[in-house]
Amino acid sequence: MTILTAIAALGGLTFLLALMLVLANKKLYVYEDPRIDTVEDMLPHANCGACGYPGCRPFAEALVGGEALPGKCTVSSEEARERIAGYLGVALGNEDRKVARLACAGGANVARVRAQYEGMRSCQAAALVSGGGKGCSWGCLGYGDCEVVCDFDAIQMDEQGLPVVDTDKCTACGDCVEACPKGLFSLEPLQNHLWVACKNLEQGNEILEDCEVACTACGRCAMDAPGGLIEMAYNLPVIHHGAAVESKDAIQRCPTGAIVWWNANGQAEKGKDAKKIIRKGAREVGVS
C-alpha cells in the first residue's frame, strides 16, 4: 500500500509539472517567422558585421522584419541580394561598399627606424615601448596585427612591412581598425578615389628625415582641388568627398605622394611631381 501511494504521488507530481510546462510554453511562446531561416541560408554566413548587424542571423531577422534591405549586405553577390529581395518581395536597396584603407605608406624602404624593438612581434606590444621605435610616431609598425585578426585573408604584409588590403576579399568588418594601435585603418567607401596615405601631424620638411613619403602640410592639394573638396586641418588634408566631383588635380603637385588616387585596379596612383622612390632595401637604423 505504501508503494502504491508513493507511485501515485510521484505520478501526480509528474503530471502536474508536465501540465505547468505545457501551459508555460503556450503562455511564453514567441512566434518566429519561418522566413528568417530561409533568408539566413541565402546570406554568406560571414558574420562580418559590415551590414551594421552583429551577424547574419540578426541581419536576416531585420530583413524579414522590414528594418533593412538586402543591399546592405555588401559581401553577398548581386545575384544573392536580388534573390533575397525577390523572396521577401522588397526593394533591393543600395549600399556603398566599404573597404579598409591604411593611412600610411611608410614602409621600410622609405621610413627610418630610430631604435630597434626587441620583444613580442606585435604592433600592440611594440607601441607600448616608446611607440615602437619608428622615427615617425604616427607610422605603421609593420608587425602585422591587422593581418592576424583578418578572418577573410584580405590583408597581407608586403616586402616593406606594410599591410596590403585585397579589396575583393575585404568585408569591412572593422577588425583591423580595432587591432591597429596607431589608428591607421578606417573603413572607406570604395567609390571614393582620393586618399591621404599619411597621419603625420607635423608641419615642414623635417619629417622627411624620418619618412620620405610623409605629408609635410604644404597645402598644394587643397589649393589645386575643386572648391570645397579638400581643406587643411591639424596639418593634414581633409577630403570632403561629397563636396565636389573628385579630381586627380589634387594629387599632381604633392611632392611626396602622400595623397593618392585609388584607380579601378586597386592601385594607388601618385601625382606627377611626387618624388620617385627607387630604394628597395630598408633605410638604415638610427639617427642620420
Side-chain angles (χ1 to χ4, degrees), residues 3 6 32 63 71 83 86 88 99 105 121 137 141 170 190 198-199 208 218 224 230 275 285 288:
I3 295 175
E32 184 173 76
L63 288 171
R83 188 164 62 249
L88 294 176
V99 294
R121 307 298 288 177
S137 59
L141 296 177
C170 181
L190 187 60
C198 185
K199 269 205 165 181
L208 301 182
C218 68
D224 296 343
I230 297 178
K275 177 183 177 182
V285 176
S288 59

Side-chain angles (χ1 to χ4, degrees), residues 174-196:
D175 286 349
C176 57
V177 177
E178 296 181 10
C180 181
K182 299 288 186 177
L184 296 174
F185 275 104
S186 62
L187 303 180
E188 305 293 334
L190 187 60
Q191 66 183 15
N192 292 346
H193 299 290
L194 279 177
W195 177 245
V196 181

